[in-house]
Amino acid sequence: MNKKTYKKNNLSKRINRINTEAKEGIYRLREYVAQEFPRNQLEDACDDLKVGTFAFESLLRSGEPNEYLHEIGKFFLKGNLHLSTISFDIVDGCQLRCIGCPNSTYKPKVNPVNIEDIHRRVANINIKEVDRIRLYRYGEPLFHNNLKEVLEIFKVESEFKIGSIVLSTNAQYHNFDSLMPALDSGLLDELSISADGDGTPESYEYYRPPGKWDRLIEFISKVSSYITMNNINTKLTLGTILPTVTTQSKLIADTRMIDKWKKIMQPYNISSYDFRPMLLMPGSSLSDNQTFDTQSDFYKPGNGLCKSVMSKNLYVDGKGFVQPCCHALHVRRIGDLNTTKYTDILFTSFFDFYDELRDKRSQIPGCSVCPQ
């Protein structure tokens, strides 16, 4: 065995061992990378060995990146990056001004993303696999007139493996000419209806202006019937933000609201429900105008790195810019997916943002007031 092969084998054994030792292993890996092995040896080893990706991903997302680790990371994760979720706006902007959403103050115009731009952005997502793709962030996807083609770009043409695709709609813009072919295609795994309130028309329309309760029910009824009559496998789900009461340690939603929503939805074959408490979204009119119990941990501005930014998720806005999280509409344009590969964004400007968030969070608009 020659010296180079021996060093590769030795490195492989060390990384495999480190890969099972959680945090301790991450810090040891940092020592190996930074001190024990010259760069060219690590590049050769990382190019050949498909091990240690969990430890290295954790290391790169630990909040202590440096230029050297960025470069080595590119070799370690080449072709192996696995994301939990991609939130991808196919429409820039929304017609509603929900008071808990930043769109209530930003008031963006609605602009569907053209197919060529979607092609380009998806081609630049150079990963191995993603568990879930959400074709929405802060845009209303039903304004797109080519939903079936959008699904084909992801499910058929993309080079990475996809667990499932979900489309979420506010159910106010009834673009059935685009939605029904998308459902017929069999490429959409889940259609989620997004709603707010306590299950009454008055509450829904208060939280979701200028949305109308009757249009919500009309949409759900028609789509549910279509899915059932045509034996379509797409799951119909409901995601609802509930008015909440704050305490020192937790948010409490009245279970009667949940029961009310489930009773209303009973005729429509809703396969699952996602009920969430009302949180402060930076830039929303609710955040700007309502007084909250600031003693509650849920409403105190966070410090340093947050779980949303550190998660293995990718957030792409309607203009193709990578955003750091889903809790604010425009925090920072981390990179441009129209022109740049995702991993190049991750290993450079994204980690620069990590450093800034850790050390200067109070100076970043949006992040400075976010409770996450």
Side-chain angles (χ1 to χ4, degrees):
M1 182 182 298
N2 61 42
K3 189 174 182 180
K4 183 176 181 180
T5 301
Y6 174 80
K7 285 187 175 181
K8 281 190 178 183
N9 290 342
N10 191 33
L11 177 62
S12 175
K13 291 178 181 178
R14 290 188 179 190
I15 293 174
N16 271 318
R17 185 171 65 251
I18 289 167
N19 205 31
T20 64
E21 294 178 352
K23 289 186 178 180
E24 180 183 352
I26 293 170
Y27 285 105
R28 290 172 61 190
L29 179 58
R30 180 185 291 112
E31 293 177 2
Y32 293 147
V33 172
Q35 299 175 17
E36 295 194 12
F37 293 92
R39 178 182 297 231
N40 62 334
Q41 293 178 13
L42 274 170
E43 291 177 354
D44 289 340
C46 294
D47 201 23
D48 293 343
L49 301 171
K50 300 302 180 184
V51 295
T53 54
F54 171 78
F56 216 102
E57 287 181 34
S58 300
L59 168 64
L60 290 172
R61 294 175 179 274
S62 65
E64 301 179 47
N66 60 52
E67 183 178 354
Y68 184 71
L69 291 178
H70 295 176
E71 292 300 317
I72 300 301
K74 293 177 184 179
F75 290 92
F76 240 100
L77 300 181
K78 185 169 66 176
N80 286 311
L81 194 59
H82 184 158
L83 296 180
S84 297
T85 302
I86 296 175
S87 295
F88 192 105
D89 263 335
I90 60 173
V91 171
D92 188 24
C94 179
Q95 86 279 31
L96 298 190
R97 299 294 179 255
C98 307
I99 65 174
C101 174
N103 282 330
S104 58
T105 60
Y106 284 107
K107 300 180 180 180
K109 295 181 179 179
V110 174
N111 291 301
V113 181
N114 67 59
I115 290 296
E116 291 74 18
D117 287 338
I118 294 175
H119 268 291
R120 186 181 306 110
R121 295 168 194 176
V122 172
N124 279 329
I125 303 176
N126 56 337
I127 63 173
K128 180 180 180 179
E129 185 175 355
V130 60
D131 297 329
R132 184 178 177 87
I133 290 179
R134 305 189 304 179
L135 294 180
Y136 60 95
R137 184 173 172 267
Y138 284 100
E140 169 49 51
L142 259 62
F143 279 98
H144 206 290
N145 289 324
N146 297 291
L147 289 175
K148 179 182 176 183
E149 189 172 354
V150 171
L151 291 171
E152 289 172 345
I153 292 173
F154 280 95
K155 273 284 185 79
V156 180
E157 300 178 21
S158 67
E159 297 184 2
F160 49 88
K161 183 179 178 181
I162 298 170
S164 63
I165 295 184
V166 56
L167 184 150
S168 180
T169 176
N170 59 42
Q172 293 294 305
Y173 183 67
H174 297 186
N175 188 3
F176 296 121
D177 288 343
S178 183
L179 177 60
M180 299 320 191
L183 292 171
D184 293 337
S185 72
L187 299 174
L188 182 62
D189 299 288
E190 178 183 340
L191 178 62
S192 177
I193 310 300
S194 176
D196 291 350
D198 63 8
T200 63
E202 295 78 15
S203 179
Y204 173 83
E205 293 179 4
Y206 169 76
Y207 282 104
R208 297 218 144 195
K212 299 299 180 184
W213 175 265
D214 289 344
R215 286 188 66 78
L216 171 72
I217 301 302
E218 177 189 350
F219 180 90
I220 296 173
S221 177
K222 185 166 184 175
V223 171
S224 174
S225 296
Y226 189 84
I227 289 174
T228 301
M229 288 189 303
N230 293 279
N231 198 28
I232 293 170
N233 290 327
T234 302
K235 294 189 300 182
L236 188 61
T237 64
L238 179 74
T240 303
I241 304 298
L242 300 173
T244 52
V245 177
T246 66
T247 69
Q248 179 69 25
S249 59
K250 60 183 177 180
L251 298 177
I252 301 175
D254 191 331
T255 56
R256 290 174 295 182
M257 299 179 192
I258 295 175
D259 294 338
K260 185 181 295 185
W261 273 110
K262 288 186 175 181
K263 184 176 180 180
I264 293 168
M265 293 296 123
Q266 192 171 6
Y268 305 121
N269 298 316
I270 303 296
S271 62
S272 65
Y273 297 88
D274 181 15
F275 294 105
R276 299 187 182 188
M278 185 71 69
L279 294 175
L280 287 178
M281 304 290 280
S284 69
S285 60
L286 184 67
S287 174
D288 291 345
N289 299 326
Q290 187 163 339
T291 301
F292 288 88
D293 177 10
T294 57
Q295 297 304 308
S296 169
D297 291 340
F298 287 91
Y299 294 139
K300 289 181 179 178
N303 293 310
L305 295 169
C306 73
K307 63 181 181 180
S308 296
V309 173
M310 299 302 291
S311 63
K312 293 174 62 177
N313 299 326
L314 168 60
Y315 305 99
V316 185
D317 68 21
K319 293 181 173 59
F321 293 110
V322 174
Q323 296 286 340
C325 72
C326 63
H327 291 283
L329 182 57
H330 300 301
V331 173
R332 182 70 57 81
R333 291 177 173 177
I334 301 296
D336 187 353
L337 212 57
N338 294 294
T339 59
T340 312
K341 296 292 185 182
Y342 169 61
T343 54
D344 290 335
I345 296 170
L346 175 64
F347 295 130
T348 53
S349 53
F350 215 134
F351 285 114
D352 291 338
F353 179 77
Y354 285 178
D355 291 340
E356 185 180 357
L357 185 64
R358 182 189 61 227
D359 301 330
K360 301 178 182 179
R361 178 165 174 168
S362 62
Q363 301 175 28
I364 303 175
C367 297
S368 61
V369 297
C370 182
Q372 297 298 313

